[in-house]
Amino acid sequence: MGRSCCGRTTPACCALPVLSRMRTAVALLLLVLGHVAMPLEVPLDLPQPPTITHESPKDYIVDPRENISIRCEAKGKPHPSFSWTRNGTHFDIDKDPRVKMKPHSGTLVIDISDKDRAEAYEGVYQCTAHNEHGSAVSNSIVIRQSRSPLWSKEENPPIIVQEGAPLVLKCRPPAGLPPPIVFWMDNNFQRLPLGQRVSQGLNGDLYFSNVVASDSRNDYICYARFPHTSTIQQKQPITVRVANMDATNETWPVFLNETDFFGDVPTEERPPSFQVPLGRTSSKMVLRGQVLEMECIAEGLPTPEITWSKVSGDLPTNQASFLNFHKTLRITGVTEADSGQYRCTAKNSLGTIHHDITVTVKAAPYWIVAPQNLVLAPREKGQLICRANGNPKPTISWFMNGLPIQNVPTDDDASRIVEGDTIRFEDVVPGTSAVYQCNASNEYGYLLANAFVNVLSEPPRMLTPPNKVYQVIMNKPAVLECSSFGSPIPKITWFKDSHPNVLDGDPYKFYDNGTLVIPVAQAANSGKYTCMAMNMLGKSDNHVYLEVKEPTRILKQPMYKEVQRNRDVMFECKVKHDSSLIPTMIWLKDGGELPDDERFVVDSDSLTITEVTEADAGTYTCIMNTTLDQDSASADLRVVEKPDPPSDLELTDQRPRSVQLTWIPGDDHNSQIKKFLIQYEDLLHDRGRWHNLTEVPGERTTAHLKLSPYVHYTFRVLAQNDVGYSHPSSPSRQYRTKPAAPDENPIGVEGLGTQPDNLVIYWKPLTGLQSNGPGLQYIVYWRQKDVEEDFQSVKVANVSKFTVGGTPTFAPYEVKVQAVNEHGVGPEPSTVIGYSGEDLPKAAPEHVQVQVINSTLAHVHWEHVPFRTVRGHLKGYKVYYWRKGSLHHHNPHHSEQQVLTFNGNRTHGKLPGLHPFSRYTLNVRVFNGRGEGPASINQEFETPEGVPGQPSFLKVNPSLDSLTLEWGPPHDRNGRLTGYTVKYQPVNNSHDLGPMEVLTVAANETSLTLPNLKYSTRYKFYINAKTQKGPGPTITEEAVTVIDEAVASRQVDIATQGWFIGLMCAIALLILVLLIICFIKRNKGGKYPVKEKEDAHADPEIQPMKDEDCVFGEYSDSEDHKPLKGSRTPSNGTVKRDDSDDSLVDYGDGGDGQFNEDGSFIGQYSGRKERDTAECIESSEAPSPVNAMNSFV
């Protein structure tokens, strides 16, 4: 037993494991139910009574245009023969030439090519299949001819109905077999629109809860479609005219004489009442398993809404559905639990009404246990059970070979005992095989079942195909079949692979029919399985194979997408599956196939939709199928777009200063409308331009608009959602407001003088929308402030300024501007203070003083000028200053004048950025809006010394044994120079700095020589100037001593020159020639001693060279230590390959030089050659040109 959490104290701990086990058990039961509950199959090569395999339905409606085929198929050994009864008596088919029986079959084919003969063969037919072991009987088959009668001719007078009254249009379709399907259409074969107000009843009638003017038409046509014969019958059109009694004229009474009239009084709003069913209660009976449909249709004004409930309980959730706009309650698969009282409720704003329907559920017989075929060995026992239920309780009747069992001869009763719904068999003997029929019937129907008892002695045989391979998905049930037959029934045992032990216990489950089930298959369960069937007569085995596969899983599911129209969208669907299974991915849209559109591109793991349209919205599902399993995932696609523009703009509640605007929103294209923007166009003052007026929330479709007088308004509405604004709606009709006096005066009023003797009054003119009427003008008022006088005024046209002349300079004035039109003046304007024109200030600042703070900063002070001398708005003071020159006689300087502005009524300011050790001059001026006044008396001041600037330049001049530094004095000395500081330090190849040397140089020196520096070394130099205030910024430079570098440069230059290389080659050749001559003279007339020694002790591995070949003998790496023949050998008798590292080729042009394979140089020089002797001498040591050169040097 595995561990369980149920031992813990928390009861909920057991919920998940128990629920999981319940689900597994249910799935396993459904999986094996088909295997275990299959009826017993006897191999057809064994004797057996007949078994009916196919037959026509009990209620068989035939098409009179086709031959009648009554099916009856059976099997048995020997093959059965067939006979028929019709209406309870034997049907002799040989006597009717129109009736034929198919060969090796009991199926009847009746030729009714003469259509008048179809009805002659209506009746109740029953087929019997019999052989020497028994007889099987079919159901009673009722044959009826389908009928599609014509509509009876009738005249339908026009129906006149008062607007708002209820109406019922009767259909009354002809009775057909089967009943027809009824629907309403117009003359154009278009279905009539149905809804909450207009609906079709179950009987086909058309119900109007209340009629409206648009219901007037002359083509209400009821159609009846007979599906069995594929024919449609049409009722005569019905004309309906909807009248408004308030507008009825005197001609109506004459017309009413020939028409039906519904509702002869004016209709008003009324509470609901039921059109069907009538009364407060009704009842309905339905058979178990059938479909129950209940309807409630109510009339009323406003249109009532229908709701349903069950008084005696809850509505069945999975079986119940609402049709016909909630007016029909449909329950499928009715059971006894669906009986009870149901209530429909009709409700509108004026009242509520109920109707109760009592439902009674009856039941035709249905099986609880149907009898099954029984195979018994001699002396065995068994039983047939026929158990059925119904309401009322069905009656059970037994038959044997088609005869009532009580009529069977008594000599067959020895082993058979009938006990109600059960027949028991004891000690059966061969020859007692038979077919037994059980009939369960009540007033609503019957059930008939055949079951044979076959007495056989048969050893086991396997029915499952051998070596069958079962493939299952991991963690799913594996069902291994071992179908066998034998009499007595064989015992089944299972083995796995080559193990001799019988399988038993977990994880295996065994069933009576031999099936082996592994509830949760794992990879370890894969392998070969053997099932063995055994009875007293023998045994038989079979092998099957189980392969457990990895499950298919979607690793990356498609995600919800929201995309704008005409954009592209992609759904991903990445899958993992067993490598031995071939996957197939399909995509569905809303449960169906993808549209046949090239915009839908399916890749191995994705679906791409290009240029999305609104029709592409929906649910997309990717399904990965293998031969064993599948996995699927879905995602919704929402296609959004800017909303459609609103429509049907209407102006209501029209008032002088307001109007009500209503509209109908356009399609929001799947993105909720957030708000509506209302714009207007003023056709009178600003034609062609639209202005925003107001916004309202998206759930509103009306707006109360505040308006201005004397405007010709046209409105339009724009809708906005998350995507953006819609196109504007079509403009509304024009709405003109009446003129009125101005509601407001101009804004932005100010008085400013442009000349010393004037005052200009400015304002922002009113717009046409603000004018409120024609003839817009302005009344301009002004008077000098603090002077006892009345306002002066003038009326001007629609302009934006007015100039008052002759004013004193810079005097305050009270000004105001009032709007006026032909219908009156605007409100009292507010007064603002303005000033007449300014003039230049008359006075200069006095008592100007300068305080020097440091070498670059000074502080300036002055006194206020009298206010009366400013003659305008005091803007501030300006300080003009300039540098006259440096205090150093070597550096005279004159700079341009500079200005610092100090806004406001200031009396001091700072002058930054001055040059040290300089002489400056300044003055101060006051300024107003018109300009500057006269300058103050010039003041001079001097700045003290500061640190000097950087030396103007620095350069280093190298020589053979020293470095000379030269520099220039600073451009900005900023005082008297006291000297220079010189620093320097060596720099190595990694740029690390060495120790610092510091030297001081007098102020009048501008150069310095540094002797005894290291050869070929880089130095870094630093120089700055000094005053009494301190040192200034440093200038740096780097330089290299050149003594060693110059020599090396010359050597390299000589070594790479062509003349030098040629000279070296000539010297080397001369030396080699001298050596050769020396050797020849020494050995003239005989061999030299070394040669004799070599001949006496010749190495056998060294082959002599041919006389005509003046080359060296070959040698290998393994012989590097051996001397070459003909080579000079040192006194120690050894030769080394690497005695010479140099080659003449390295030094430019040479003679006949060659390289061997390892890259060493071989020089070849030849002396006098004779036919019989030749000697080739190799110089094993060539003189190095560098060494030679060094020897000369």
Side-chain angles (χ1 to χ4, degrees):
M1 295 290 291
R3 291 187 302 166
S4 172
C5 67
C6 294
R8 303 177 187 174
T9 57
T10 305
C13 177
C14 295
L16 285 177
V18 170
L19 183 60
S20 177
R21 288 195 296 270
M22 289 177 60
R23 289 175 177 169
T24 303
V26 170
L28 182 60
L29 177 62
L30 294 174
L31 183 63
V32 303
L33 191 60
H35 299 277
V36 178
M38 291 179 62
L40 178 63
E41 292 290 335
V42 180
L44 283 176
D45 61 338
L46 297 178
Q48 58 184 291
T51 300
I52 301 289
T53 57
H54 298 93
E55 58 183 317
S56 294
K58 292 180 181 180
D59 191 6
Y60 188 17
I61 300 175
V62 299
D63 190 337
R65 300 168 297 182
E66 299 177 356
N67 290 339
I68 301 173
S69 177
I70 310 175
R71 194 172 184 189
C72 180
E73 306 286 346
K75 65 179 182 178
K77 181 69 174 182
H79 190 73
S81 58
F82 298 89
S83 62
W84 286 86
T85 62
R86 179 185 176 194
N87 297 328
T89 61
H90 177 67
F91 183 34
D92 190 350
I93 62 177
D94 294 332
K95 293 184 178 180
D96 192 334
R98 295 181 177 273
V99 181
K100 303 292 182 183
M101 184 182 293
K102 289 185 177 181
H104 310 292
S105 168
T107 299
L108 296 182
V109 177
I110 305 174
D111 184 3
I112 56 170
S113 54
D114 183 357
K115 293 183 174 57
D116 294 336
R117 299 285 298 175
E119 296 181 358
Y121 289 94
E122 291 184 332
V124 180
Y125 292 78
Q126 191 170 35
C127 170
T128 301
H130 44 83
N131 65 12
E132 61 188 60
H133 301 292
S135 299
V137 180
S138 72
N139 287 311
S140 295
I141 303 170
V142 179
I143 302 296
R144 293 186 295 171
Q145 174 188 332
S146 64
R147 293 176 175 81
S148 51
L150 297 176
W151 231 297
S152 58
K153 290 187 178 181
E154 59 180 349
E155 291 186 1
N156 297 319
I159 298 174
I160 298 179
V161 59
Q162 169 68 19
E163 185 175 4
L167 177 65
V168 180
L169 299 183
K170 298 293 185 180
C171 179
R172 302 187 187 95
L177 187 67
I181 299 172
V182 177
F183 52 93
W184 290 78
M185 300 178 75
D186 59 17
N187 279 332
N188 297 320
F189 298 100
Q190 299 297 315
R191 286 185 178 268
L192 296 178
L194 302 179
Q196 190 74 30
R197 187 179 61 85
V198 182
S199 58
Q200 179 181 315
L202 294 176
N203 63 354
D205 293 349
L206 195 61
Y207 292 87
F208 295 77
S209 294
N210 51 79
V211 295
V212 296
S214 59
D215 294 328
S216 295
R217 61 191 306 157
N218 57 6
D219 57 352
Y220 287 94
I221 305 173
C222 183
Y223 290 84
R225 181 168 65 88
F226 298 90
H228 216 77
T229 58
S230 300
T231 58
I232 297 178
Q233 304 292 347
Q234 173 185 337
K235 184 184 178 71
Q236 290 295 320
I238 300 175
T239 298
V240 174
R241 294 189 177 92
V242 179
N244 187 332
M245 292 301 295
D246 296 334
T248 302
N249 56 35
E250 297 180 356
T251 62
W252 277 100
V254 176
F255 186 72
L256 293 180
N257 292 334
E258 300 178 358
T259 62
D260 294 333
F261 185 77
F262 291 81
D264 55 354
V265 295
T267 57
E268 297 178 352
E269 291 189 348
R270 60 189 182 279
S273 63
F274 285 110
Q275 295 172 296
V276 64
L278 301 176
R280 300 296 299 272
T281 62
S282 60
S283 61
K284 199 171 187 69
M285 191 277 288
V286 63
L287 291 180
R288 180 181 185 272
Q290 292 185 346
V291 176
L292 169 63
E293 288 187 329
M294 297 173 284
E295 71 173 349
C296 283
I297 301 176
E299 61 91 4
L301 189 65
T303 302
E305 294 183 356
I306 305 295
T307 58
W308 290 87
S309 62
K310 187 176 182 181
V311 178
S312 55
D314 296 330
L315 294 175
T317 305
N318 297 328
Q319 301 165 254
S321 60
F322 300 100
L323 308 174
N324 196 20
F325 310 99
H326 234 259
K327 299 179 183 180
T328 301
L329 171 61
R330 184 178 193 183
I331 301 176
T332 59
V334 171
T335 65
E336 288 81 353
D338 295 323
S339 60
Q341 191 174 31
Y342 293 81
R343 172 170 295 174
C344 66
T345 302
K347 180 181 180 181
N348 68 6
S349 58
L350 299 182
T352 302
I353 189 172
H354 305 287
H355 183 92
D356 293 339
I357 304 173
T358 301
V359 175
T360 302
V361 178
K362 299 292 185 178
Y366 57 92
W367 290 118
I368 297 177
V369 179
Q372 301 292 328
N373 292 336
L374 188 61
V375 177
L376 299 175
R379 315 312 301 175
E380 280 191 323
K381 61 181 179 181
Q383 64 181 8
L384 295 177
I385 299 176
C386 177
R387 196 161 294 153
N389 200 359
N391 186 10
K393 182 78 173 176
T395 301
I396 303 297
S397 301
W398 284 100
F399 298 81
M400 177 179 172
N401 295 329
L403 298 176
I405 199 165
Q406 60 271 20
N407 296 339
V408 175
T410 56
D411 55 354
D412 291 337
D413 292 344
S415 62
R416 182 178 64 243
I417 302 173
V418 180
E419 296 176 345
D421 58 6
T422 303
I423 301 179
R424 292 190 293 107
F425 299 91
E426 302 283 349
D427 296 330
V428 296
V429 297
T432 58
S433 298
V435 182
Y436 293 83
Q437 290 84 32
C438 172
N439 183 297
S441 61
N442 65 11
E443 60 185 282
Y444 300 110
Y446 75 93
L447 294 174
L448 178 66
N450 289 275
F452 64 67
V453 176
N454 196 11
V455 181
L456 284 176
S457 294
E458 187 68 23
R461 63 167 70 182
M462 285 295 171
L463 303 181
T464 300
N467 300 317
K468 185 174 181 179
V469 178
Y470 294 91
Q471 293 181 330
V472 298
I473 295 298
M474 186 181 298
N475 297 322
K476 298 294 184 181
V479 180
L480 309 184
E481 297 177 358
C482 184
S483 180
S484 64
F485 181 81
S487 184
I489 297 176
K491 179 182 179 182
I492 305 297
T493 53
W494 283 90
F495 305 88
K496 185 176 186 296
D497 296 330
S498 58
H499 299 295
N501 297 330
V502 175
L503 297 181
D504 191 17
D506 289 338
Y508 306 106
K509 293 184 179 295
F510 304 93
Y511 292 87
D512 292 342
N513 67 342
T515 299
L516 166 64
V517 176
I518 305 174
V520 182
Q522 300 297 323
N525 299 131
S526 299
K528 174 184 176 182
Y529 289 80
T530 302
C531 73
M532 180 175 292
M534 180 183 300
N535 66 11
M536 65 180 65
L537 302 178
K539 64 181 180 179
S540 179
D541 62 13
N542 190 19
H543 305 295
V544 296
Y545 297 87
L546 175 62
E547 296 177 358
V548 181
K549 306 291 186 180
E550 289 286 338
T552 300
R553 290 290 178 266
I554 294 179
L555 302 180
K556 186 173 184 181
Q557 299 184 357
M559 304 296 290
Y560 168 81
K561 301 285 186 180
E562 184 174 295
V563 64
Q564 193 172 345
R565 191 171 55 193
N566 295 324
R567 303 283 179 87
D568 296 348
V569 67
M570 183 178 74
F571 291 104
E572 288 187 285
C573 187
K574 298 186 182 296
V575 183
K576 177 184 178 182
H577 61 87
D578 192 284
S579 58
S580 64
L581 300 178
I582 299 176
T584 302
M585 177 177 285
I586 60 174
W587 286 86
L588 303 178
K589 178 182 183 294
D590 298 328
E593 294 183 357
L594 292 178
D596 185 12
D597 191 331
E598 62 183 6
R599 296 183 301 106
F600 289 77
V601 180
V602 178
D603 291 329
S604 59
D605 56 4
S606 66
L607 167 66
T608 302
I609 309 173
T610 60
E611 298 179 359
V612 168
T613 67
E614 289 187 353
D616 298 332
T619 300
Y620 289 84
T621 304
C622 75
I623 302 176
M624 176 58 74
N625 284 314
T626 67
T627 54
L628 297 181
D629 70 338
Q630 71 171 31
D631 197 11
S632 64
S634 299
D636 290 335
L637 173 61
R638 184 182 178 196
V639 181
V640 297
E641 187 51 273
K642 297 177 183 178
D644 287 343
S647 60
D648 296 341
L649 273 63
E650 185 177 353
L651 300 176
T652 59
D653 192 19
Q654 299 175 5
R655 299 183 182 182
R657 293 290 187 99
S658 66
V659 71
Q660 187 88 6
L661 176 65
T662 62
W663 62 89
I664 297 176
D667 190 344
D668 63 5
H669 294 293
N670 299 318
S671 180
Q672 183 180 3
I673 295 177
K674 302 295 185 182
K675 64 181 180 180
F676 293 98
L677 172 63
I678 301 170
Q679 297 179 328
Y680 73 91
E681 179 188 14
D682 184 356
L683 298 175
L684 179 62
H685 306 99
D686 197 10
R687 180 182 293 271
R689 291 185 59 190
W690 289 89
H691 306 272
N692 294 341
L693 181 59
T694 187
E695 293 179 348
V696 297
E699 61 271 11
R700 290 176 52 186
T701 57
T702 63
H704 187 76
L705 307 179
K706 294 182 179 180
L707 307 180
S708 297
Y710 193 54
V711 178
H712 295 178
Y713 284 101
T714 299
F715 302 100
R716 70 183 186 184
V717 184
L718 294 83
Q720 184 192 35
N721 61 11
D722 289 336
V723 182
Y725 277 103
S726 69
H727 292 296
S729 67
S730 298
S732 70
R733 62 180 175 86
Q734 189 179 117
Y735 184 68
R736 299 184 178 185
T737 54
K738 295 180 180 180
D743 292 327
E744 54 186 313
N745 291 312
I747 60 174
V749 177
E750 59 179 349
L752 299 173
T754 58
Q755 297 294 330
D757 60 350
N758 73 4
L759 170 68
V760 181
I761 303 173
Y762 299 91
W763 63 90
K764 182 179 180 180
L766 298 181
T767 65
L769 185 67
Q770 296 170 317
S771 66
N772 285 8
L776 177 64
Q777 292 181 308
Y778 301 99
I779 303 176
V780 183
Y781 299 89
W782 73 93
R783 71 179 177 186
Q784 189 172 349
K785 192 173 183 297
D786 300 328
V787 176
E788 296 295 332
E789 62 181 16
D790 294 333
F791 278 100
Q792 300 182 61
S793 66
V794 63
K795 183 181 290 186
V796 298
N798 189 8
V799 294
S800 61
K801 66 179 180 179
F802 175 73
T803 302
V804 179
T807 62
T809 301
F810 196 63
Y813 277 83
E814 295 177 292
V815 297
K816 57 184 178 179
V817 180
Q818 186 177 30
V820 60
N821 63 19
E822 294 179 0
H823 293 267
V825 296
E828 180 64 26
S830 58
T831 301
V832 299
I833 303 299
Y835 286 85
S836 58
E838 298 177 276
D839 204 349
L840 296 177
K842 293 190 300 182
E846 297 180 348
H847 300 99
V848 178
Q849 298 178 352
V850 179
Q851 179 184 0
V852 177
I853 306 300
N854 54 40
S855 62
T856 61
L857 179 65
H859 201 171
V860 184
H861 296 264
W862 63 87
E863 287 186 355
H864 295 292
V865 297
F867 178 75
R868 55 184 173 75
T869 65
V870 176
R871 299 199 295 181
H873 295 286
L874 176 63
K875 300 295 185 181
Y877 293 85
K878 293 183 180 181
V879 177
Y880 287 80
Y881 65 100
W882 59 95
R883 184 186 180 200
K884 297 186 68 175
S886 172
L887 297 178
H888 195 282
H889 65 279
H890 295 295
N891 192 17
H893 182 82
H894 297 278
S895 63
E896 294 182 358
Q897 184 175 261
Q898 294 178 276
V899 181
L900 278 179
T901 301
F902 299 94
N903 293 321
N905 194 11
R906 300 276 298 273
T907 60
H908 61 86
K910 292 181 178 180
L911 303 181
L914 302 177
H915 285 272
F917 205 56
S918 300
R919 181 178 294 107
Y920 281 88
T921 302
L922 65 77
N923 59 54
V924 183
R925 308 174 191 185
V926 67
F927 68 97
N928 61 18
R930 188 166 183 82
E932 300 174 2
S936 66
I937 300 173
N938 288 346
Q939 300 290 326
E940 290 190 355
F941 64 95
E942 296 178 355
T943 56
E945 287 189 68
V947 297
Q950 188 183 65
S952 57
F953 68 89
L954 172 61
K955 63 181 179 177
V956 183
N957 299 317
S959 61
L960 292 177
D961 57 354
S962 64
L963 292 176
T964 300
L965 307 181
E966 294 182 3
W967 64 89
H971 291 301
D972 296 322
R973 300 192 180 193
N974 297 338
R976 295 180 178 87
L977 296 181
T978 60
Y980 297 92
T981 300
V982 178
K983 301 178 182 179
Y984 65 94
Q985 59 188 144
V987 182
N988 62 18
N989 292 334
S990 59
H991 302 286
D992 294 330
L993 299 176
M996 178 77 74
E997 299 290 339
V998 181
L999 301 174
T1000 300
V1001 181
N1004 59 350
E1005 299 290 339
T1006 57
S1007 65
L1008 177 65
T1009 299
L1010 301 175
N1012 301 324
L1013 299 177
K1014 294 180 181 180
Y1015 296 154
S1016 187
T1017 302
R1018 180 176 295 275
Y1019 286 87
K1020 187 170 184 178
F1021 301 93
Y1022 313 85
I1023 298 181
N1024 59 0
K1026 296 183 294 182
T1027 65
Q1028 290 182 351
K1029 283 293 185 179
T1034 300
I1035 185 171
T1036 65
E1037 186 62 77
E1038 293 186 10
V1040 180
T1041 55
V1042 297
I1043 295 175
D1044 288 351
E1045 290 184 357
V1047 173
S1049 175
R1050 287 197 298 272
Q1051 287 181 350
V1052 172
D1053 291 342
I1054 295 173
T1056 57
Q1057 298 299 314
W1059 64 267
F1060 177 75
I1061 295 173
L1063 178 61
M1064 292 300 100
C1065 290
I1067 293 172
L1069 288 173
L1070 180 59
I1071 293 172
L1072 289 174
V1073 169
L1074 292 175
L1075 289 173
I1076 291 171
I1077 294 172
C1078 180
F1079 284 130
I1080 292 173
K1081 288 182 177 181
R1082 181 179 179 184
N1083 296 304
K1084 188 175 182 181
K1087 299 181 179 179
Y1088 55 90
V1090 178
K1091 175 68 175 175
E1092 293 175 350
K1093 188 174 180 179
E1094 289 177 352
D1095 292 342
H1097 304 282
D1099 192 330
E1101 295 184 11
I1102 301 178
Q1103 301 297 325
M1105 294 183 295
K1106 297 180 180 180
D1107 294 338
E1108 64 270 21
D1109 298 331
C1110 187
V1111 296
F1112 298 106
E1114 295 181 356
Y1115 65 99
S1116 66
D1117 291 342
S1118 62
E1119 299 169 340
D1120 288 348
H1121 64 284
K1122 299 178 181 179
L1124 295 174
K1125 184 178 181 181
S1127 66
R1128 291 189 302 141
T1129 306
S1131 60
N1132 60 4
T1134 63
V1135 175
K1136 296 181 180 178
R1137 291 178 58 190
D1138 297 329
D1139 283 348
S1140 176
D1141 294 332
D1142 298 317
S1143 171
L1144 290 177
V1145 178
D1146 294 335
Y1147 296 92
D1149 301 332
D1152 298 328
Q1154 297 180 355
F1155 287 89
N1156 63 9
E1157 290 181 352
D1158 65 356
S1160 62
F1161 177 79
I1162 300 175
Q1164 189 175 16
Y1165 305 95
S1166 300
R1168 201 162 45 92
K1169 295 183 181 178
E1170 296 183 3
R1171 190 175 189 82
D1172 52 347
T1173 62
E1175 291 184 49
C1176 294
I1177 301 174
E1178 175 195 26
S1179 175
S1180 63
E1181 185 175 345
S1184 168
V1186 176
N1187 294 335
M1189 183 62 192
N1190 290 336
S1191 66
F1192 283 108
V1193 176

